[in-house]
């Protein structure tokens, strides 16, 4: 790890560890801490990737936990701080290693791992593919991959992919795949918080990070899990100079006592902080809904977005038409008032008039416009006031 930092090369850890050797006492704990310190020193300087290919228990889990990405092999790898025997002794719970800390658990329930593979061979192959999207260090650029996909490719189907009825869902991944090179997305944490999509892709052969609300799940609402997932991804992209493309279709933050008691205010602020702090090129496309505080959070112009676009189907407002009318007019003449409110606010024109949206795009030209903007922004320089570090709401 010291040499990797010295030469600016990524660290890839293949983990298969039963934890600390009890016989070695404090010496084994000291060894752990030395590794942890190097993980922290390397954070944001070189990419760190952990592949869990066997048991990873006790203190050994904290080194992968501080790396940028964790991948696991299904049925042969597991991670936990305390094993099933300790859990049974303390809490009287009977649980298997797989249920406690297997790949399925950590990729769908806990959010500890970013992906899983069926076997070791697929894991190594997938890791090699993933690695091609990353730079060697924070002063380097990701490799440029030759592509025959022209920037001028127009996708007429994008005009019809967003349903006219705002209550009908659609899969944002289908939409995004029509914009990026050769329709290829490498999704991160696909089974955790699926209401937001985080993925790597390429535009004209250059790596970009995709963050997109997915209306298929929870109508695309932001909740605690999706906010944390996207915030960490945005901070990684910013640390390693990878442009961020944001596709917005968000009706707001998910309501409910579970969310409020779980700290949606603090956790939602993590994504807000991550976007506001990012100085890499930021391009945003609003495809349909952009309501309330969630509009601000999703890389709005107010958070120093470089280019913010809307499709003709976009609705930028404090809240949906029906809810707004019931509050403003106290339930009187709802249908007529809703139609009036919709005509006035359920479109991108008010935001465009105030300069909060740079242009209302023909959806079929989205790829070309983004490619042109990314080329212009390659030399972007942004400076922040000196500080030791910010205080993100952890």
């Amino acid at each position: 790890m010291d040499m990797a930092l010295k030469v600016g090369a990524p660290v890839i850890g293949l983990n298969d560890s039963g934890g600390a050797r009890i016989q070695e006492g404090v010496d084994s704990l000291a060894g752990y801490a030395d590794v942890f310190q190097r993980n922290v020193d390397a954070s944001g300087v070189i990419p760190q990737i952990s592949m869990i290919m066997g048991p990873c228990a006790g203190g050994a889990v904290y080194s992968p936990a501080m790396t940028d990405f964790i991948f696991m092999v299904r049925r042969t790898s597991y991670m936990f701080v305390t094993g099933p025997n300790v859990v049974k002794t303390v809490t009287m719970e009977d649980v298997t290693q797989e249920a406690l800390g297997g790949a399925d658990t950590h990729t769908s329930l806990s959010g500890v791992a970013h992906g899983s593979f069926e076997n070791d061979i697929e894991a190594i192959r997938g890791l090699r593919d993933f690695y091609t999207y990353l730079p060697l260090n924070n002063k380097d650029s990701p490799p440029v991959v030759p592509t025959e996909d022209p920037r001028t490719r127009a996708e007429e189907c994008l005009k019809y992919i967003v349903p006219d009825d705002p209550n009908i869902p659609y899969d944002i991944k289908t939409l995004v795949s029509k914009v990026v090179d050769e329709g290829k997305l490498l999704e991160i944490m696909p089974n955790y918080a699926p209401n937001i999509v985080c993925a790597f892709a390429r535009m004209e052969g250059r790596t970009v990070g995709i963050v997109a609300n997915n209306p298929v799940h929870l109508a695309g609402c932001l909740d605690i899990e999706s906010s944390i997932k996207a915030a960490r991804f945005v901070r990684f992209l910013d640390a390693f100079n990878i442009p961020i493309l944001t596709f917005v279709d968000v009706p707001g933050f998910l309501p409910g006592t579970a969310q409020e008691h779980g700290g949606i205010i603090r956790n939602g602020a993590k994504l807000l902080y991550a976007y506001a702090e990012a100085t890499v090129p930021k391009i945003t496309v609003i495809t349909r809904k952009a309501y309330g505080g969630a509009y601000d959070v999703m890389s709005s112009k107010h958070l120093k977005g470089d280019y913010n676009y809307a499709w003709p189907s976009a609705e930028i407002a404090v809240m949906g038409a029906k809810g707004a009318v019931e509050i403003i007019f106290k339930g009187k003449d709802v249908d007529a008032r809703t139609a009036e409110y919709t005509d006035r606010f359920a479109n991108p024109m008010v935001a465009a008039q105030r300069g909060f949206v740079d242009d209302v795009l023909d959806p079929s030209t989205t790829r070309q416009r983004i490619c042109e903007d990314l080329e212009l922004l390659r030399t972007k320089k942004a400076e922040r006031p000196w500080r030791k570090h910010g205080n993100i709401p952890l």
Side-chain angles (χ1 to χ4, degrees):
M1 294 177 75
D2 290 337
M3 182 58 72
L5 265 175
K6 189 180 293 184
V7 302
V11 168
I12 299 175
L14 306 181
N15 288 61
D16 188 341
S17 166
R21 292 196 72 204
I22 298 173
Q23 302 92 316
E24 293 184 4
V26 71
D27 289 334
S28 63
L29 302 180
Y32 276 154
D34 289 340
V35 175
F36 299 158
Q37 181 63 56
R38 284 164 175 79
N39 284 130
V40 174
D41 291 342
S43 181
V45 180
I46 53 176
Q48 299 180 85
I49 306 168
S50 296
M51 177 66 74
I52 314 300
M53 306 183 77
C56 186
V61 300
Y62 286 110
S63 177
M66 286 190 289
T67 59
D68 299 308
F69 296 98
I70 301 173
F71 299 101
M72 300 180 72
V73 180
R74 298 186 68 203
R75 292 179 294 277
T76 61
S77 68
Y78 46 85
M79 299 174 69
F80 39 69
V81 177
T82 54
N85 293 336
V86 177
V87 170
K88 185 173 183 180
T89 301
V90 176
T91 68
M92 307 304 293
E93 292 178 90
D94 274 315
V95 64
T96 64
Q97 290 181 337
E98 185 67 28
L100 182 63
D104 291 342
T105 297
H106 285 315
T107 54
S108 61
L109 294 178
S110 71
V112 169
H114 297 80
S116 62
F117 300 94
E118 285 296 321
N119 54 60
D120 290 357
I121 294 174
E122 283 192 17
I124 297 298
R125 186 182 295 125
L127 187 57
R128 286 173 176 164
D129 184 35
F130 174 74
Y131 176 76
T132 63
Y133 287 89
L134 307 182
L136 292 175
N137 54 66
N138 62 357
K139 295 181 179 178
D140 196 23
S141 298
V144 180
V145 176
T147 180
E148 295 181 359
D149 198 350
R151 71 163 56 175
T152 54
R153 170 170 59 83
E155 288 285 354
E156 294 297 324
C157 66
L158 290 177
K159 295 180 179 179
Y160 314 105
I161 202 166
V162 177
D164 292 331
D165 186 341
N167 297 316
I168 295 178
Y170 63 96
D171 192 346
I172 198 72
K173 286 186 277 190
T174 303
L175 184 155
V176 175
S177 67
K178 299 292 184 183
V179 175
V180 300
D181 285 0
E182 297 161 11
K184 185 179 179 183
L185 290 172
L186 197 158
E187 191 174 355
I188 302 299
M189 304 176 79
N191 300 321
Y192 181 78
N195 45 317
I196 201 161
V197 175
C198 297
F200 288 101
R202 292 188 176 94
M203 297 292 283
E204 294 192 300
R206 298 175 185 271
T207 300
V208 295
I210 304 290
V211 180
N213 308 111
N214 197 350
V216 170
H217 300 279
L218 296 178
C221 282
L222 287 174
D223 62 354
I224 292 171
E225 294 178 348
S226 62
S227 297
I228 295 171
K229 169 184 171 180
R232 183 161 173 78
F233 187 62
V234 167
R235 283 171 67 83
F236 174 84
L237 298 174
D238 185 47
F240 291 98
N241 306 310
I242 298 173
I244 304 169
L245 305 186
T246 306
F247 291 83
V248 181
D249 187 347
V250 60
F253 285 93
L254 185 66
T257 55
Q259 291 292 308
E260 296 294 349
H261 296 171
I264 183 63
I265 297 172
R266 171 173 45 84
N267 289 292
K270 292 176 182 175
L271 181 56
L272 171 61
Y273 190 103
Y275 267 124
E277 184 185 44
T279 58
V280 293
K282 294 184 287 189
I283 300 173
T284 303
V285 179
I286 301 172
T287 61
R288 190 164 62 178
K289 299 174 186 174
Y291 291 165
Y295 152 72
D296 286 323
V297 170
M298 295 298 294
S299 195
S300 63
K301 179 65 78 174
H302 323 289
L303 301 184
K304 297 186 178 179
D306 294 299
Y307 289 100
N308 292 69
Y309 298 116
W311 284 5
S313 53
E315 303 175 16
I316 305 170
V318 174
M319 62 192 304
K322 188 174 181 181
V325 166
E326 288 180 351
I327 291 172
I328 295 170
F329 300 102
K330 296 181 172 57
K332 299 176 183 177
D333 202 11
V334 172
D335 291 339
R337 295 291 189 180
T338 299
E340 180 185 342
Y341 184 95
T342 301
D343 290 340
R344 185 172 178 185
F345 293 109
N347 60 70
M349 300 315 298
V350 175
Q353 289 167 4
R354 286 162 173 72
F356 303 151
V357 169
D358 293 300
D359 200 357
V360 179
L361 291 182
D362 177 347
S364 65
T365 65
T366 302
R367 173 179 168 81
Q368 180 173 347
R369 184 65 69 90
I370 291 175
C371 287
E372 291 170 353
D373 294 340
L374 287 172
E375 182 180 16
L376 182 64
L377 291 169
R378 279 177 205 159
T379 55
K380 175 186 175 182
K381 288 182 173 61
E383 293 185 1
R384 290 181 293 210
W386 184 92
R387 56 185 172 183
K388 187 175 181 182
H389 59 73
N391 188 19
I392 185 170
L394 295 173

